[in-house]
């Protein structure tokens, strides 16, 4: 299976840092590999009136998300950073938004996502990585 385009889910956690490092290692092996790093700004479900009051906070959260992505790609080093692009999404559920992106773009060969190391019931019910694994139509690499 040829891997030409990878999506990396990023949220500044240790698991996400490991996923990003894995993608950088793969990019270092293949100069043609393209990597998109996606961050989902989590927003609550709000009605129209609540959204108007939330606009300034959302703008700040989006700006923080853009900075987070810039910093993540800057950490990679010049040798592979040119192979990376960033995507910022907003939504109630990061896993749902990432799965929507996979369906809309339909050009990713793989998703790399970190594991936060949850255990017990939370490992199976609240895990973004598990939801992506179960919903993605492409291979998912979960980095521990």
């Amino acid at each position: 299976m040829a891997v030409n385009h990878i999506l990396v889910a990023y949220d500044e956690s240790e698991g996400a840092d490991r996923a990003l490092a894995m993608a950088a290692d793969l990019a270092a092996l293949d100069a043609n590999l393209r990597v998109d790093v996606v961050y989902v700004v989590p927003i609550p479900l709000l009605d129209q009136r609540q959204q108007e009051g939330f606009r300034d906070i959302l703008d700040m959260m989006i700006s923080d998300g853009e900075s987070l992505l810039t910093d993540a790609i800057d950490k990679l080093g010049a040798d592979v950073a040119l192979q990376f692009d960033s995507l910022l999404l907003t939504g109630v559920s990061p896993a749902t938004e990432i799965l929507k992106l996979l369906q809309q773009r339909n050009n990713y060969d793989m998703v790399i996502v970190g594991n936060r190391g949850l255990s017990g019931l939370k490992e199976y019910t609240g895990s973004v990585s598990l939801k992506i694994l179960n919903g993605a139509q492409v291979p998912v690499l979960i980095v521990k």
Side-chain angles (χ1 to χ4, degrees), residues 1 5-9 38 94-104 106-113 127-142:
M1 174 181 105
H5 200 177
I6 295 173
L7 180 67
V8 178
V38 63
T96 299
E97 297 307 318
I98 291 168
L99 291 170
K100 282 185 203 174
L101 176 66
L102 289 170
Q103 289 175 343
Q104 291 168 354
N106 198 29
N107 64 342
Y108 294 106
D109 302 306
M110 177 191 303
V111 179
I112 301 177
V113 61
S127 170
V128 172
S129 58
L130 184 64
K131 289 176 185 174
I132 293 171
L133 176 66
N134 288 329
Q137 300 299 312
V138 296
V140 177
L141 175 60
I142 299 175

Side-chain angles (χ1 to χ4, degrees), residues 49-120:
R49 181 185 56 78
Q50 292 169 323
Q51 286 178 9
E52 291 169 12
F54 191 68
R55 174 56 47 198
D56 290 339
I57 295 170
L58 181 58
D59 289 344
M60 185 173 33
M61 292 170 67
I62 289 171
S63 177
D64 289 348
E66 290 168 345
S67 295
L68 179 142
L69 286 169
T70 299
D71 292 347
I73 291 175
D74 286 348
K75 286 193 276 187
L76 298 174
D79 51 331
V80 296
L82 293 175
Q83 294 171 252
F84 283 71
D85 287 315
S86 62
L87 300 168
L88 185 91
L89 305 175
T90 60
V92 175
S93 165
T96 299
E97 297 307 318
I98 291 168
L99 291 170
K100 282 185 203 174
L101 176 66
L102 289 170
Q103 289 175 343
Q104 291 168 354
R105 294 261 175 117
N106 198 29
N107 64 342
Y108 294 106
D109 302 306
M110 177 191 303
V111 179
I112 301 177
V113 61
N115 182 304
R116 287 188 184 232
L118 297 174
S119 61

